[in-house]
Amino acid sequence: MKKFVPLAVFVTIICAHLFVLYKNYIFVNDIILSEITFADFLIYVLKGMEIYNPNDSSFVPDLTWLLLYTYLFYLVSGYIQEDLQSIGKQILLKCKSRIIWWLSKTFWCINLVIAFYICIVVSVFIFSVFINSRISFICNSDIHMIFSEMVFNNINLKKLLLDFLFIPMLTAVCLSVMQISVSLIWGQIVGFVLNVVVLILSIFVDTDYLIGNMLMPLRQIEGSLSLNNIGFVFLMIVLLSIVSTVYFHKKDIY
């Protein structure tokens, strides 16, 4: 649980930043905005950034988004190698199946990513309760237009869960499985750096096959996502699991 404390603190800081901007805007402009909600904070934390336009000199990469997912991949980093060098070998000998042992590591990745998003949601919820914000899944377009330059109609619960949680979570699982697969073959540093490079490239390159874009719901709202992307991510998870399982089955670990 300790490893999620920095994440909870970071998410709280992001929420506090939006809240300060919100209060300051109302005070300076002497206007009334929609009441900020739990959904507004959650969207602000997970939104990512708009599609990069090289002709737009005002584009500024969202470093909070980059740091958020870099921390996730930091948590994934080194797990396989450290496990093999410690109690993992003993467990492997007892279960007598490399395939089962390796697949358990894949499920560990899935559980880690789910816990990562749960921590984000819970942190946003606690912050919302602390400032007495309305706990609602209704978001306010005027708030996001002002502070994120995000244009959309009211997002309902289904769209919030799909675009801001399920699709990014699925993508994060895919990248995490890719990371442990690469770490198994070339080492933990290579696996971690590869995912960070994917994140950075995704900021500046909008393509269906650079799946870091799917970690940015703002780009999904702008219409750059299709069902083919989701199918591609599922396919990548399956293929990576098969390839890494076959490799580990033949790998000399003793």
Side-chain angles (χ1 to χ4, degrees):
M1 292 299 295
K2 290 182 179 179
K3 60 189 175 184
F4 290 112
V5 172
L7 173 62
V9 172
F10 186 59
V11 170
T12 302
I13 291 173
I14 298 174
C15 292
H17 177 251
L18 174 60
F19 187 62
V20 170
L21 290 176
Y22 172 79
K23 286 294 187 180
N24 186 62
Y25 188 89
I26 293 175
F27 176 77
V28 171
N29 295 280
D30 192 26
I31 61 173
I32 298 176
L33 292 177
S34 303
E35 181 184 359
I36 197 166
T37 68
F38 162 78
D40 292 320
F41 286 115
L42 186 61
I43 288 172
Y44 190 75
V45 171
L46 296 172
K47 68 183 186 309
M49 62 204 86
E50 62 186 358
I51 297 172
Y52 171 68
N53 181 357
N55 297 319
D56 183 7
S57 59
S58 64
F59 178 83
V60 178
D62 186 348
L63 294 182
T64 58
W65 173 87
L66 181 61
L67 290 173
L68 189 70
Y69 285 103
T70 296
Y71 186 70
L72 169 61
F73 300 136
Y74 167 77
L75 295 178
V76 176
S77 178
Y79 171 71
I80 299 302
Q81 294 297 330
E82 291 173 5
D83 198 49
L84 280 174
Q85 294 169 8
S86 58
I87 196 174
K89 280 188 178 181
Q90 300 175 24
I91 297 175
L92 177 57
L93 289 172
K94 288 182 179 180
C95 75
K96 298 179 181 180
S97 172
R98 291 193 176 199
I99 294 176
I100 293 176
W101 187 89
W102 180 252
L103 288 178
S104 73
K105 305 309 166 188
T106 302
F107 284 112
W108 174 87
C109 275
I110 296 173
N111 290 333
L112 176 66
V113 171
I114 292 174
F116 181 84
Y117 279 91
I118 290 175
C119 181
I120 291 174
V121 173
V122 171
S123 299
V124 173
F125 177 81
I126 292 174
F127 180 84
S128 300
V129 171
F130 179 76
I131 65 168
N132 200 29
S133 176
R134 186 156 58 100
I135 305 302
S136 170
F137 289 102
I138 298 175
C139 62
N140 301 288
S141 58
D142 56 341
I143 291 176
H144 298 287
M145 178 61 194
I146 294 170
F147 302 115
S148 304
E149 297 184 357
M150 185 190 304
V151 181
F152 56 80
N153 296 322
N154 287 333
I155 294 179
N156 55 32
L157 177 59
K158 179 180 177 182
K159 190 169 183 62
L160 180 67
L161 293 176
L162 180 65
D163 289 352
F164 285 83
L165 288 174
F166 176 74
I167 292 175
M169 189 184 300
L170 179 66
T171 306
V173 166
C174 180
L175 288 170
S176 297
V177 172
M178 181 177 75
Q179 182 175 341
I180 64 170
S181 301
V182 172
S183 297
L184 178 68
I185 302 172
W186 291 294
Q188 61 190 47
I189 295 178
V190 176
F192 174 71
V193 170
L194 176 62
N195 269 359
V196 173
V197 169
V198 169
L199 292 178
I200 295 173
L201 287 176
S202 298
I203 293 174
F204 300 100
V205 182
D206 179 39
T207 172
D208 290 345
Y209 302 106
L210 198 55
I211 63 173
N213 285 283
M214 295 178 67
L215 294 173
M216 294 183 263
L218 179 53
R219 296 190 179 183
Q220 299 171 30
I221 291 173
E222 292 178 352
S224 63
L225 181 71
S226 67
L227 290 177
N228 291 334
N229 298 94
I230 301 175
F232 177 69
V233 171
F234 269 116
L235 181 62
M236 278 192 65
I237 293 174
V238 173
L239 289 178
L240 286 168
S241 299
I242 293 174
V243 171
S244 59
T245 300
V246 172
Y247 177 84
F248 184 70
H249 185 69
K250 297 180 180 180
K251 180 179 173 63
D252 182 11
I253 62 174
Y254 300 103

